[in-house]
């Protein structure tokens, strides 16, 4: 059988004051797609260009203080417009936050480019959302010289991160890439979107310190939602990944029919050991 030609794929993101995750994002997608196919908006002329940017396309935009809601709409508008422009020359665009990593199940033994090139994408494609959190009883503070998944073993199955991040036609994403206006979502059986915003409690506390002592006290007193859940709930086997994927295909929140639902169930899973070889 003739081998299918690889498609041209771009990855886009927008960041502000997030050097650590952005450098990891560049490393991961650069190795998978080619650094020249990365397009990054930096929110503010005061932002430093990441040291590992290489051939990635970096654009600094003037920063304007906005409310959270207005800021979210502004950023996703920029991302949607950028994707629309890129799709004039690219076959596929991946849009996500810089602490999110789209991964093909290592069991498939295909690169991200190979896998997506062989998919018949109907406008959008989603990976099952895994919200990775530090287990406070079993896991140490993050060693930033090592990959995430060699140090973290638990994830919350989260509809919030089952995002339609892969597109092959111009669309209007909803804030945070969580939905696409006038389009259903299609959850692929071999794709996962891994979110690492709660990968380390110390990192969260440091970030909170920049916002004031009240934020730090809140974190120390109440913890982080994802970290609390993965630290306290019993972790299930990867069979629950398949169950969650089926549920999210079927159910929708009444208030957001263009997003996946799980009837409010919060399952924690043990991340399959083979994921450690993903390089994330």
């Amino acid at each position: 059988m003739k081998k299918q030609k690889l498609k041209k794929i771009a990855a886009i993101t927008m960041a502000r004051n997030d050097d650590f995750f952005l450098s990891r994002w560049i490393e991961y997608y650069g190795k998978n797609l080619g650094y020249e196919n990365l397009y990054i908006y930096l929110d503010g002329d005061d932002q430093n260009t990441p040291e590992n940017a290489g051939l990635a396309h970096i654009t600094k935009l003037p920063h304007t203080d906005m409310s959270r809601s207005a800021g979210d709409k502004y950023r996703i508008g920029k991302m949607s417009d950028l994707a629309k422009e890129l799709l004039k020359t690219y076959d596929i665009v991946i849009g996500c936050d810089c602490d999110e990593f789209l991964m093909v199940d290592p069991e498939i033994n295909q690169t991200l480019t190979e896998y997506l090139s062989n998919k018949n994408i109907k406008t959008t494609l989603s990976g099952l959302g895994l919200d990775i959190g530090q287990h406070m009883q079993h896991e140490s503070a993050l060693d930033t010289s090592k990959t995430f998944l060699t140090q973290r073993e638990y994830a919350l199955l989260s509809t919030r991160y089952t995002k339609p991040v892969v597109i092959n036609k111009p669309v209007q994403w909803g804030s945070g890439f969580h939905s696409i206006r006038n389009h259903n979502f299609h959850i692929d059986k071999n794709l996962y979107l891994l979110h690492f915003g709660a990968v380390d409690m110390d990192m969260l506390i440091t970030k909170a310190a920049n916002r004031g002592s009240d934020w730090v006290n809140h974190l120390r007193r109440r913890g982080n939602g994802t970290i609390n859940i993965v630290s306290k709930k019993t972790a299930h086997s990867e069979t629950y990944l398949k169950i969650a994927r089926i549920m999210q295909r079927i159910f929708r929140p009444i208030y957001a029919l263009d997003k996946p639902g799980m009837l409010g169930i919060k399952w924690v899973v043990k991340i399959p050991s083979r994921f450690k070889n993903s390089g994330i």
Side-chain angles (χ1 to χ4, degrees), residues 60-226:
K60 294 183 181 181
L61 303 174
H63 174 71
T64 302
D65 288 329
M66 305 180 191
S67 68
R68 181 172 179 174
S69 176
D72 286 346
K73 289 179 181 179
Y74 164 76
R75 286 186 289 273
I76 205 61
K78 286 290 186 183
M79 291 288 93
S80 297
D81 289 346
L82 175 59
K84 181 178 180 180
E85 188 63 28
L86 290 174
L87 284 168
K88 294 177 181 178
T89 53
Y90 283 88
D91 301 300
I92 296 169
V93 171
I94 300 170
C96 60
D97 294 334
C98 64
D99 58 1
E100 296 171 347
F101 299 77
L102 184 68
M103 182 193 79
V104 181
D105 192 323
E107 192 171 54
I108 303 303
N109 196 29
Q110 291 184 32
T111 67
L112 186 58
T113 297
E114 289 170 341
Y115 188 75
L116 292 179
S117 293
N118 285 285
K119 295 299 295 184
N120 179 23
I121 301 172
K122 298 176 181 178
T123 305
T124 77
L125 199 63
S126 303
L128 183 68
L130 296 180
D131 193 8
I132 315 298
Q134 180 183 2
H135 195 300
M136 298 304 290
Q137 282 73 53
H138 300 318
E139 296 173 340
S140 303
L142 195 71
D143 182 341
T144 57
S145 69
K146 299 178 181 178
T147 57
F148 294 135
L149 293 182
T150 57
Q151 305 176 70
R152 296 293 181 257
E153 296 190 343
Y154 303 92
L156 172 65
L157 280 168
S158 175
T159 57
R160 180 171 175 78
Y161 295 105
T162 301
K163 300 181 178 184
V165 298
V166 180
I167 61 171
N168 65 352
K169 295 175 184 174
V171 300
Q172 181 60 51
W173 273 300
S175 294
F177 302 97
H178 290 289
S179 63
I180 292 178
R181 190 176 300 165
N182 300 323
H183 283 281
N184 199 350
F185 59 91
H186 306 276
I187 307 172
D188 187 85
K189 64 180 180 179
N190 296 311
L191 287 177
Y192 297 88
L193 186 68
L194 281 61
H195 173 252
F196 290 95
V199 71
D200 186 76
M201 178 60 86
D202 288 345
M203 196 178 293
L204 285 172
I205 290 174
T206 299
K207 197 170 185 178
N210 295 325
R211 304 175 71 178
S213 59
D214 288 346
W215 286 93
V216 175
N217 291 336
H218 175 81
L219 263 180
R220 293 192 185 280
R221 185 173 63 252
R222 299 189 59 184
N224 166 272
T226 299

Side-chain angles (χ1 to χ4, degrees), residues 14-19 41-47 63 65:
M14 187 170 181
R16 177 170 175 78
N17 297 333
D18 220 339
D19 294 348
Y41 281 167
L42 294 178
D43 184 12
D45 295 324
D46 59 334
Q47 301 294 289
H63 174 71
D65 288 329

